[in-house]
Amino acid sequence: MVFGLVRTGNLDAKRADGYMTMVLTMVISAMSRHIKASEFKAKCLALMDEVARTGAAVIITKNGKPVAELVPHRPRKHSARGILKDELFIAGDIMSPIDIEWEVLK
């Protein structure tokens, strides 16, 4: 977390009621942790537990360059595609025209 104080207006001027107005800005930053590949190799299981517990990603570097990212598992959302497979069946011919005249064509 990063906290910052911002004052506006003339700093020498005082309010008539003796109070000063102060604005507090809070920024929550989800910083990823960077570790060397050799450190990851030594602490792999502990890092996996930490990521699962905190949800914070760990970036693994080799020679100072990111090569992999360890992130918590998130199950895939189920797609609606194929949800009714083996539930709906087509009965009859759906391609040939029917003998009913539509109101739109009248």
Side-chain angles (χ1 to χ4, degrees):
M1 283 188 219
V2 178
F3 294 97
L5 298 176
V6 179
R7 287 190 248 177
T8 59
N10 186 352
L11 296 178
D12 295 329
K14 291 185 180 178
R15 287 179 48 170
D17 55 6
Y19 291 98
M20 179 179 174
T21 302
M22 189 172 10
V23 178
L24 176 66
T25 305
M26 185 172 86
V27 178
I28 299 175
S29 175
M31 296 287 293
S32 297
R33 181 174 161 195
H34 289 69
I35 64 165
K36 296 177 184 177
S38 57
E39 183 182 351
F40 174 75
K41 185 177 177 182
K43 300 178 180 180
C44 179
L45 295 175
L47 286 169
M48 289 180 3
D49 291 339
E50 179 185 329
V51 167
R53 187 181 74 253
T54 64
V58 174
I59 297 177
I60 301 139
T61 62
K62 220 174 181 183
N63 297 325
K65 296 180 182 177
V67 293
E69 183 175 16
L70 180 62
V71 295
H73 179 266
R74 291 183 186 94
R76 287 187 182 178
K77 294 180 181 177
H78 293 287
S79 171
R81 180 182 172 122
I83 198 166
L84 294 175
K85 183 178 180 182
D86 298 330
E87 298 289 325
L88 297 178
F89 299 97
I90 298 173
D93 183 15
I94 62 169
M95 298 304 289
S96 61
I98 56 176
D99 295 333
I100 301 171
E101 189 173 335
W102 292 4
E103 289 182 28
V104 177
L105 299 177
K106 291 182 183 179

